[in-house]
Amino acid sequence: GSQTLKLTASDGAFGDNFGIAVDMSNTLTIVGASYESHPVGGDSVGAQAGAAYIFDTVTGVEVAKIQAEDGFHDSFYGDDVAINNDWALVGAFRDSPVDIAQGAVYVYDLTNGLPYQETKIIPSDHENEGRFGSEVALSGDYAIIAAEGSNKVYVFDLTTGLELYQLSSPTDLPHTGGDSSYGSAVAAEGDTFVVGASNHRHFCCGTGPGAFYVHDLTTGQLKGELTASDGAAQDRFGEALAITGNQVLVGASGDDDNGSSSGSAYTFEVALGHTYCSPAEDNSNNFPATIEAYGSTIAAWNYFELRANMWVSYETGYIMASMNQDFIPFPGGSEGNLCLGSGKARFTSQAMNGGLDGKITVVIDLTNIPTNPAQPVLAGQNWNWQLWYRDGTESNFSDAVSVNFN
């Protein structure tokens, strides 16, 4: 590749740390400058009050400089930022009227043009040294905000400003010392968000190798905890995260493969969407069948597959889909529950035998869903997916997975 632009602040000055945090959408780019100083309140200097700059992604033209309307010195506003086409988030992890690092996040509505309307959000349980806003991420109208000082992550609905739920480290148990650095990084896409815990450890004491957690954005449900296969103490695995589709990139700056703290990065594959109608009814082997979605939630990419485990050998199954949900127990004498509503598509032409391990993988052509009439999956649509399968002389269903496409 080749460099296309270099961005600088129109009023940049010594020590601003412009570029300490960056994010971009297809139309706008945001750059944090958390050491920028400007008068705030009665403070004529406002050291490290912080600022952020918004640019046109294509041209590189500076669109706006934004600052907290109620800023304080040493707030470090701009230490982390996030942006999409509708919203911008700016974290100020030391924001507080006295130096107790409670933290805050400033939200900007980008939909109505300049000047951007500012809203300040704080958590329901604001804590001293909580550092709310230390890490921020966006997915649609949802904000995912870490308070690394208190080992918590919060999810807000930006359309209402309401805090939907908060999460604490699943592994901060007494024997671990209680500080996993949960919230060391956050990233989100579609219905999934990931949270780093760069000091995660199973046993007391010292610094652990780190981990990251996969959560369902709609419910907050924990979908998995993942660690490096070769993790060692002080690796700081989970210190940085990025997600696209179902691929997660994890930074581990303390890994020692090429010398002390030479660092490394790992890639992982995680499931898309969120499950419902779970667990499914047990089959003849006393196990519920499961289904998971992989690929990308970007409909135009047409990269999407479903993986099902029937838990019965040498039986045949096929995928069903609908934009509607329902719950119909034991339809047609089946042993399971149909969790799809009207407008169902049946991928009978892709029916597969699961072989000895009872697993099937079906690649879905998102441009041709076999409803009546056939239709493509479009951005903004939510589709639900379920497996029907044969179980001896009976039939059954898996649980279901719901995926929102963009």
Side-chain angles (χ1 to χ4, degrees):
S2 60
Q3 178 180 313
T4 56
L5 294 170
K6 178 179 179 180
L7 304 178
T8 58
S10 57
D11 61 349
F14 175 82
D16 281 355
N17 277 21
F18 175 91
I20 196 169
V22 297
D23 195 21
M24 67 191 307
S25 72
N26 62 332
T27 58
L28 295 172
T29 293
I30 187 169
V31 181
S34 59
Y35 280 68
E36 188 267 358
S37 300
H38 60 271
V40 287
D43 185 340
S44 61
V45 177
Q48 291 91 47
Y53 298 79
I54 295 179
F55 298 84
D56 183 292
T57 295
V58 177
T59 65
V61 172
E62 184 179 310
V63 175
K65 177 183 180 180
I66 51 178
Q67 300 165 327
E69 294 176 358
D70 63 349
F72 300 97
H73 69 84
D74 294 322
S75 289
F76 296 101
Y77 170 103
D79 197 67
D80 200 27
V81 295
I83 199 167
N84 60 25
N85 289 337
D86 297 325
W87 305 98
L89 301 180
V90 181
F93 71 89
R94 291 196 64 85
D95 179 272
S96 53
V98 292
D99 190 19
I100 50 178
Q102 291 179 327
V105 170
Y106 293 82
V107 182
Y108 298 88
D109 184 343
L110 309 179
T111 58
N112 295 317
L114 294 168
Y116 299 134
Q117 181 181 353
E118 178 184 285
T119 304
K120 181 178 182 178
I121 55 177
I122 58 175
S124 57
D125 58 348
H126 223 181
E127 298 179 19
N128 294 349
E129 302 300 329
R131 291 163 52 199
F132 177 81
S134 55
E135 299 287 333
V136 297
L138 279 166
S139 182
D141 293 327
Y142 295 94
I144 300 91
I145 302 169
E148 191 180 1
S150 55
N151 285 296
K152 293 180 180 178
V153 169
Y154 302 78
V155 174
F156 285 78
D157 182 340
L158 296 179
T159 62
T160 64
L162 295 178
E163 179 185 315
L164 300 179
Y165 55 85
Q166 60 175 262
L167 302 170
S168 298
S169 173
T171 52
D172 275 349
L173 303 174
H175 70 275
T176 70
D179 180 13
S180 64
S181 292
Y182 181 78
S184 56
V186 293
E189 182 166 298
D191 296 322
T192 300
F193 71 96
V194 289
V195 180
S198 60
N199 192 34
H200 162 87
R201 55 192 183 274
H202 286 295
F203 304 101
C204 185
C205 295
T207 303
F212 77 95
Y213 301 91
V214 183
H215 291 275
D216 180 284
L217 180 58
T218 305
T219 64
Q221 176 187 4
L222 177 64
K223 299 170 68 173
E225 173 193 312
L226 296 167
T227 58
S229 58
D230 60 349
Q234 301 182 3
D235 275 358
R236 295 197 60 79
F237 175 91
E239 185 177 45
L241 293 168
I243 183 171
T244 181
N246 67 318
Q247 300 293 316
V248 179
L249 181 65
V250 187
S253 65
D255 184 69
D256 299 327
D257 282 8
N258 293 317
S260 179
S261 294
S262 55
S264 60
Y266 300 76
T267 59
F268 288 79
E269 184 180 47
V270 298
L272 304 173
H274 64 274
T275 58
Y276 67 101
C277 280
S278 183
E281 295 290 334
D282 285 353
N283 55 32
S284 58
N285 284 337
N286 297 317
F287 286 103
T290 58
I291 187 170
E292 292 183 326
Y294 291 87
S296 174
T297 58
I298 300 176
W301 288 7
N302 196 18
Y303 171 51
F304 187 72
E305 69 180 35
L306 294 156
R307 303 175 191 174
N309 191 340
M310 297 181 286
W311 293 100
V312 289
S313 299
Y314 302 110
E315 294 288 5
T316 298
Y318 64 81
I319 300 297
M320 304 174 65
S322 173
M323 285 194 285
N324 301 297
Q325 297 183 6
D326 205 339
F327 184 80
I328 304 172
F330 317 121
S334 170
E335 296 298 307
N337 304 312
L338 176 60
C339 301
L340 306 179
S342 59
K344 286 183 285 293
R346 292 176 170 84
F347 293 79
T348 53
S349 64
Q350 293 177 270
M352 298 180 65
N353 187 289
L356 179 62
D357 62 4
K359 297 179 181 179
I360 65 173
T361 297
V362 180
V363 176
I364 302 296
D365 181 1
L366 297 179
T367 69
N368 187 29
I369 303 299
T371 49
N372 186 18
Q375 62 181 306
V377 171
L378 302 176
Q381 291 181 342
N382 192 87
W383 281 83
N384 308 289
W385 311 84
Q386 191 173 20
L387 173 76
W388 174 94
Y389 67 101
R390 181 65 62 188
D391 184 9
T393 60
E394 307 292 340
S395 65
N396 208 328
F397 295 89
S398 68
D399 56 4
V401 60
S402 181
V403 179
N404 185 52
F405 290 90
N406 47 43

